[in-house]
Amino acid sequence: MSIGNSPEDDRPSIGDDDRPSIGRALQQARVDAGLTVDEVSTTTRVRIPIVHAIEQDDYTRCGGDVYARGHIRTLARAVGMDPAALIEQFDAEHGGRPAPTPAAPLFEAERIRPERQRPNWTAAMVAAIVAVIGFVGFTMFNGGDENEKGSPVAEGTAPPQPAPKPPTSRPTPDTTPEPSDSAIAAAPKDMVTVRMTAVDRKSWISAKDHNGRLLFDGMLEAGDSKTFTDKEEVELVLGDAGAIQLFVNGQEIKDEFQPGQVERLRYTRDDPQPAEDDPQAG
């Protein structure tokens, strides 16, 4: 539970420094925007204790510089500030921007189990078709020999030939095509639908439902797409958010993720929320 519901209660004291700290700048912008910590936390989905800590320039609760930078960027947009200036200040105070870390080793601990290898039904079908054709050919060949050795065939007539059966096409399991964008737009309103596409390079991704059950954990190759649905919430971890094109409930998410940037995201049936700089957004 947060303390105080009025933004004026959180107004920071002004010191002698010409350039305020990141936390004080975010707090002042929030107060000027008439927002409480509770309202900012609801809008950004950054937990209340973390919002309080960042406004006090305490980044130990963020889980590392990568997450701290992401929280600063999210909070800045929520209170109407330019994220780039704050990120530049943060990098200057914390030894510069870290080099992108390969996603797979970073999140190795979060992986529950590797995706189970599916049976190769295509190879099995090809083998079955070859066996049927071989059996038919063998039967026809032996049948011709028996007609020649046995009873004569009436002149002008040909022995009946068994017609080869056309191979039956059966849908293979786990090969349901991904829904189109129009299908996503027409998704039921009582479900949350998230579609991800690796645009020009691969990225490791993880997706869980509202119960924390793992929906997918692995590499999304360049050009591939994945769609996830749940009745309440879909939780995502993007190893390289800059490589992912993201649609939530039929609408594209326009966040400017950088190459190599790691992002944790949660989406519900009400997302995406209106842009923070929209004058009609509440």
Side-chain angles (χ1 to χ4, degrees):
M1 178 179 296
S2 65
I3 300 176
N5 291 320
S6 173
E8 286 76 6
D9 295 339
D10 299 323
R11 186 180 301 273
S13 59
I14 304 300
D16 297 330
D17 296 337
D18 293 334
R19 184 183 185 184
S21 67
I22 296 172
R24 292 176 61 192
L26 287 171
Q27 186 182 32
Q28 183 64 55
R30 174 179 59 76
V31 173
D32 292 343
L35 299 173
T36 65
V37 172
D38 289 27
E39 291 170 335
V40 171
S41 175
T42 301
T43 301
T44 62
R45 294 186 175 84
V46 178
R47 292 188 295 114
I48 291 175
I50 295 180
V51 177
H52 278 300
I54 291 176
E55 288 189 353
Q56 297 299 319
D57 296 303
D58 178 8
Y59 305 104
T60 59
R61 305 192 65 152
C62 295
D65 289 352
V66 173
Y67 294 116
R69 295 174 80 256
H71 290 327
I72 292 171
R73 181 182 295 106
T74 301
L75 295 178
R77 290 173 178 168
V79 299
M81 294 189 69
D82 178 16
L86 293 181
I87 294 301
E88 182 180 354
Q89 182 177 349
F90 179 85
D91 291 342
E93 296 173 356
H94 293 79
R97 181 177 179 179
T101 304
L106 180 61
F107 292 98
E108 194 66 33
E110 293 190 11
R111 301 191 179 191
I112 296 178
R113 57 180 180 276
E115 187 176 15
R116 186 171 52 187
Q117 185 176 6
R118 300 187 178 99
N120 191 342
W121 291 104
T122 302
M125 288 183 62
V126 171
I129 292 172
V130 171
V132 170
I133 294 175
F135 177 78
V136 172
F138 178 80
T139 303
M140 291 173 60
F141 180 81
N142 284 352
D145 288 347
E146 289 176 2
N147 285 335
E148 291 177 3
K149 296 178 182 179
S151 58
V153 178
E155 185 177 356
T157 63
Q161 298 287 339
K165 297 181 179 180
T168 59
S169 60
R170 295 179 299 173
T172 58
D174 299 324
T175 56
T176 305
E178 294 289 342
S180 64
D181 291 342
S182 59
I184 295 176
K189 298 300 182 183
D190 58 344
M191 299 287 287
V192 53
T193 303
V194 177
R195 178 180 173 86
M196 292 183 291
T197 301
V199 180
D200 54 2
R201 61 182 182 276
K202 64 183 179 180
S203 172
W204 176 85
I205 63 172
S206 175
K208 297 179 182 179
D209 63 10
H210 72 284
N211 288 322
R213 182 174 63 90
L214 190 67
L215 302 175
F216 180 81
D217 180 81
M219 195 68 66
L220 191 63
E221 298 294 336
D224 289 348
S225 298
K226 285 287 184 182
T227 300
F228 308 101
T229 59
D230 188 70
K231 62 182 180 180
E232 293 184 15
E233 181 183 87
V234 173
E235 179 180 356
L236 305 174
V237 180
L238 309 181
D240 184 354
I244 298 299
Q245 184 182 34
L246 189 61
F247 284 84
V248 176
N249 297 326
Q251 298 186 40
E252 185 176 4
I253 303 301
K254 294 293 187 178
D255 286 327
E256 298 178 356
F257 299 130
Q258 300 300 316
Q261 180 177 339
V262 178
E263 284 291 332
R264 291 175 174 268
L265 306 168
R266 288 186 177 89
Y267 294 107
T268 66
R269 291 173 293 181
D270 299 328
D271 287 318
Q273 299 289 337
E276 289 83 3
D277 56 353
D278 186 349
Q280 300 297 327

